[in-house]
Amino acid sequence: MNSRPATVSDQPRIRTVLVLTGAYLALSVLTLGAIFLFRDDPSMVSDVVWVRATIVAASALLTFLFARSAARGSKRGLLRLRIVSAVMTVAIVVIVSIPGFLPLWVRLEQGVCGVLLLAVVVLVNGRHVRSLFSE
């Protein structure tokens, strides 16, 4: 029988946040791979796409690391996760809504990233998750 005490990382909502941020990171890395593969096709990849994808991948890595920190019980990790996920969600909405700024496939990928992050924002700002860190 396992009698170890429950930790923050044992909470289903925290595990869900880890899965969502992991998916955001994986999708961002896969997108960089696709950009590399299609780098010679200017209709699919431009300098803006390279820059945007690099920024998103870096933010996805930070988001995932902050989620892991929060899962270990770090209040600072949770605060950083709350800030970064909210800021990136807003940035994605703005960027995706600019007509012609990004190719359709990148806009769709960014939309999926936005949905993943929106779910993170809802979870980490919810009363249940915040209460885990109020002790």
Side-chain angles (χ1 to χ4, degrees):
M1 180 173 195
N2 188 356
S3 62
R4 74 179 174 89
T7 62
V8 173
S9 63
D10 292 330
Q11 298 296 319
R13 288 184 177 113
I14 296 295
R15 286 194 307 270
T16 301
V17 166
L18 286 169
V19 169
L20 291 167
T21 56
Y24 173 46
L25 176 58
L27 181 56
S28 299
V29 170
L30 288 171
T31 299
L32 276 176
I35 288 168
F36 179 78
L37 290 174
F38 295 110
R39 67 190 178 276
D40 295 327
D41 184 347
S43 69
M44 294 195 54
V45 177
S46 64
D47 289 343
V48 170
V49 170
W50 274 108
V51 170
R52 177 71 190 151
T54 303
I55 291 169
V56 170
S59 77
L61 177 59
L62 287 175
T63 304
F64 182 72
L65 293 174
F66 295 154
R68 282 187 40 201
S69 177
R72 289 191 300 266
S74 169
K75 288 182 182 182
R76 281 189 149 173
L78 178 65
L79 176 62
R80 290 174 177 146
L81 178 60
R82 290 175 67 193
I83 292 168
V84 168
S85 61
V87 168
M88 285 306 297
T89 301
V90 171
I92 287 170
V93 169
V94 170
I95 295 290
V96 168
S97 66
I98 299 172
F101 185 66
L102 296 169
L104 178 61
W105 76 274
V106 178
R107 291 174 65 174
L108 291 172
E109 177 269 343
Q110 286 290 278
V112 172
C113 287
V115 169
L116 293 169
L117 283 177
L118 180 59
V120 171
V121 169
V122 169
L123 287 169
V124 298
N125 288 290
R127 185 177 302 136
H128 178 76
V129 170
R130 287 192 335 257
S131 72
L132 297 172
F133 293 85
S134 63
E135 301 168 352

